[in-house]
Amino acid sequence: MTEILAGPGRPQVSAWRLAGRLACTGVVAAALAIVMVTTLAGEMKDDIAWLLYVAQQWLHGSRLYVDVVEVNPPLIVWICALPAWLAELTGTRLQVAAMLFFCAIIMACLGWAVAILTRARKPLGDPFVLFAIGAPVLLLIPGVEFGQREHLLIAAALPYLAVVARELADDTPGDATAIAAGVVAALGCALKPRYVLPFGMLEAYAIWQGLRWFRLSTLAAGGTLAVYFAAILIFEPAYFGNAIPMAVALYGASDVPFLDLLFDCRLLLFGIAVGCVLVATQPVRGERFRLPGVLLVFAIGAMLECFIQGKNWFYHQIPATIAAVLCLIAWTAMRLRADWRPGWRRLGPGALAVLALLAFGLGAYERIDPQMRIALARRVTVEERLAALIRREHAKSYLALSDWIGLGFPVVNETGVVWASRFDSMWALDGEMWRAARDGRAPADWPVRRWVAADFKRACPDLVVVDRRNPIDYVELIGRADGEFLKLWRHYQRIASFDGLVVFRRNRLAAGPGFECNGTTTVRNKPVVPSGALASYPNRRG
């Protein structure tokens, strides 16, 4: 083969190798292009849009867990503050800044993990190939959930998993690498502290395989989590006093039956079962890396955590799914490298791995395809229709009475309208009703209806969307708790309806002189306490 790119002091690179690297670059570029189209041409994911909004409010002086109600630990808000700040500083669209920021984090973690695996005494493979294999997995499997906390978590865990794989092969990386990987993995776990379970299972597996528990990577991870815990106590103590009690009391309303959750996770269960069979019965001999086993243990722990959370939201499956796919890919590649000769005993397990990977690929396609169709066909979404209504009516404040976050976010992010609630949606109100049905009475410590009514009276939103698809009549429910809310609601008139939603506009002329809504409003000359003043609202009764 002709050698090219050769010259004085320059290594020779064969044409075949160059073609392979160009092909790897093309694969990564294609995956990035798909992600950029689906995340930037379409609507921003509602959860991410809300967290970016919370980060903006925090940057502008609002108090987390007091002025804005969020049940997640503060690290994700602190992280989202970076793209929010950059977007404001440069005038860039928030969605663009956020997606590029998340993509950079994910690709950097993947590249670092690849570097750890390929700088060993026995490299796992060519770094270009490994990166080209890992990039589509990390970029495409999440689909519309790109950038969720679970997505960032598994990306941050990859360097740590690579370090553990090398340690199990008696090829410990440098101290700086081990410490840094432990710190980054701990930050990933800090995004959702519940995921200490898969990390704990991984450590138990490593100890079982002969490693010490007080390795530099584990000590760095434990120290980072301790520092983070102290930082929350110092800077955001309301998380422990407000957010955790609220989540414990009300978040169970979104739980699903265990059998339904099993059905929703059927693909993940199949993939992990295949991985268990292959790793247990078809070990790769001659390889010093334990990467498939490390990835499989983490995937099992992440899957168990998904069941513990009890929600049928796909983004809870992202860590386990990505770890399972990477496990199957690593096993298949190592198996082929160790023994590629034909034969049913060799091809059968490989075919099973390929079948599982194809199933995961089909699932990723089914998640991405609707977003691609929306992005390329430019179909008008519900969020876009609401944003157009806000602009048409020149509304300055807005509220959606719905348990769907998407009616509020990214609508608020795109229009800049004032959101007239401390909650992202009516999930807490649904939780209050769930508790009332379960306990036989509404929880006295969690009068969510009164808080929603207080926010409504304070802001007097120009536009209100009422979701009629939900069996709960939010207007009637809030009105029973606060008569002043009903008096104010009489001055709203219906202006549009579509897709089960009804849009109301406040009639300023009919409201009369007793209703002045300016952000620190009075309702019939009676002062309404701003939500920020309810610093200890979860502990207040009535």
Side-chain angles (χ1 to χ4, degrees):
M1 178 61 64
T2 304
E3 302 293 329
I4 59 176
L5 296 182
R10 299 177 64 183
Q12 293 183 342
V13 181
S14 68
W16 283 112
R17 178 170 293 184
L18 178 62
R21 292 185 174 181
L22 289 176
C24 292
T25 303
V27 169
V28 175
L32 284 171
I34 293 173
V35 167
M36 290 300 104
V37 169
T38 55
T39 58
L40 298 182
E43 296 293 332
M44 189 161 40
K45 175 62 179 170
D46 48 10
D47 293 331
I48 298 173
W50 162 252
L51 289 170
L52 289 167
Y53 168 83
V54 173
Q56 288 178 315
Q57 300 305 304
W58 178 70
L59 286 173
H60 295 156
S62 294
R63 293 168 296 171
L64 289 181
Y65 315 112
V66 176
D67 300 321
V68 285
V69 176
E70 172 57 39
V71 296
N72 292 301
L75 180 59
I76 186 60
V77 178
W78 298 343
I79 291 175
C80 287
L82 291 173
W85 174 74
L86 289 173
E88 292 184 2
L89 182 67
T90 61
T92 306
R93 188 181 172 199
L94 179 60
Q95 184 176 4
V96 174
M99 292 302 106
L100 291 178
F101 179 76
F102 294 145
C103 190
I105 290 177
I106 292 164
M107 290 295 95
C109 290
L110 174 62
W112 184 17
V114 168
I116 293 172
L117 294 174
T118 55
R119 290 176 181 173
R121 290 197 300 265
K122 291 187 64 176
L124 189 63
D126 184 272
F128 279 83
V129 175
L130 294 182
F131 191 85
I133 292 173
V137 174
L138 261 73
L139 293 174
L140 301 182
I141 281 182
V144 69
E145 308 292 350
F146 186 91
Q148 288 276 18
R149 289 165 296 135
E150 290 81 357
H151 192 195
L152 301 178
L153 184 153
I154 183 60
L158 288 180
Y160 186 78
L161 299 180
V163 167
V164 173
R166 281 187 56 177
E167 289 174 336
L168 288 172
D170 195 24
D171 185 15
T172 304
D175 292 350
T177 298
I179 292 172
V183 170
V184 172
L187 292 176
C189 183
L191 292 171
K192 292 203 73 169
R194 304 177 62 126
Y195 276 83
V196 71
L197 174 62
F199 285 102
M201 289 182 59
L202 179 62
E203 284 306 305
Y205 171 74
I207 294 171
W208 178 54
Q209 292 292 315
L211 294 184
R212 299 174 301 176
W213 68 267
F214 51 91
R215 308 184 312 278
L216 282 177
S217 54
T218 57
L219 293 175
T224 301
L225 288 176
V227 171
Y228 176 59
F229 180 81
I232 298 177
L233 285 175
I234 296 171
F235 299 109
E236 300 294 349
Y239 171 70
F240 296 105
N242 291 355
I244 291 180
M246 171 172 281
V248 171
L250 305 179
Y251 219 54
S254 55
D255 288 351
V256 298
F258 182 70
L259 291 180
D260 292 348
L261 188 58
L262 280 177
F263 181 78
D264 289 332
C265 296
R266 60 192 181 278
L267 176 57
L268 176 59
L269 288 168
F270 171 68
I272 289 181
V274 171
C276 290
V277 170
L278 296 178
V279 172
T281 65
Q282 299 287 328
V284 180
R285 303 187 184 281
E287 285 287 350
R288 302 192 60 195
F289 279 109
R290 307 286 188 85
L291 188 60
V294 168
L295 290 165
L296 180 61
V297 170
F298 189 88
I300 294 172
M303 180 187 67
L304 292 176
E305 179 52 43
C306 179
F307 289 138
I308 292 172
Q309 293 183 76
K311 309 291 191 294
N312 61 343
W313 303 329
F314 172 73
Y315 62 85
H316 285 179
Q317 302 180 37
I318 289 177
T321 301
I322 289 179
V325 170
L326 292 177
C327 168
L328 293 171
I329 292 175
W331 182 91
T332 304
M334 288 181 175
R335 187 70 178 179
L336 290 174
R337 183 176 178 180
D339 188 1
W340 55 269
R341 291 173 298 172
W344 285 112
R345 290 184 178 181
R346 300 179 182 89
L347 295 180
L352 184 61
V354 171
L355 176 63
L357 288 173
L358 289 175
F360 278 120
L362 179 60
Y365 171 78
E366 290 176 347
R367 288 187 294 274
I368 292 175
D369 182 60
Q371 285 298 112
M372 286 291 292
R373 292 180 183 274
I374 291 174
L376 297 178
R378 294 309 304 144
R379 296 201 301 262
V380 178
T381 64
V382 171
E383 296 91 333
E384 288 174 329
R385 295 185 68 175
L386 290 174
L389 267 175
I390 289 172
R391 296 187 182 99
R392 189 194 74 185
E393 299 293 329
H394 303 288
K396 299 187 181 301
S397 53
Y398 168 73
L399 178 66
L401 297 178
S402 172
D403 60 353
W404 178 24
I405 304 176
L407 298 184
F409 303 88
V411 175
V412 171
N413 309 73
E414 293 295 325
T415 59
V417 70
V418 174
W419 179 245
S421 177
R422 74 194 79 179
F423 299 98
D424 56 3
S425 65
M426 295 297 106
W427 72 265
L429 189 52
D430 289 355
E432 181 188 6
M433 302 311 298
W434 167 74
R435 280 286 304 275
R438 190 192 70 175
D439 302 339
R441 58 184 178 84
D445 288 338
W446 303 97
V448 179
R449 284 172 286 182
R450 297 191 180 186
W451 300 333
V452 173
D455 292 346
F456 188 95
K457 294 185 295 184
R458 174 173 58 90
C460 295
D462 294 331
L463 281 187
V464 179
V465 174
V466 178
D467 190 346
R468 298 298 189 190
R469 299 167 300 181
N470 195 304
I472 298 177
D473 187 337
Y474 291 111
V475 173
E476 191 271 339
L477 183 63
I478 300 170
R480 288 206 313 262
D482 192 308
E484 293 289 346
F485 167 83
L486 278 183
K487 295 176 183 177
L488 187 57
W489 182 254
R490 296 192 187 103
H491 301 290
Y492 282 78
Q493 57 186 11
R494 176 173 175 170
I495 62 170
S497 62
F498 52 88
D499 294 339
L501 308 177
V502 182
V503 184
F504 294 84
R505 167 88 197 201
R506 180 168 60 87
N507 189 336
R508 297 189 184 92
L509 297 179
F515 291 89
E516 299 178 3
C517 302
N518 54 16
T520 55
T521 186
T522 59
V523 179
R524 294 199 184 279
N525 300 319
K526 178 181 178 181
V528 173
V529 180
S531 63
L534 301 177
S536 59
Y537 62 85
N539 299 319
R540 290 178 178 263
R541 294 182 177 271

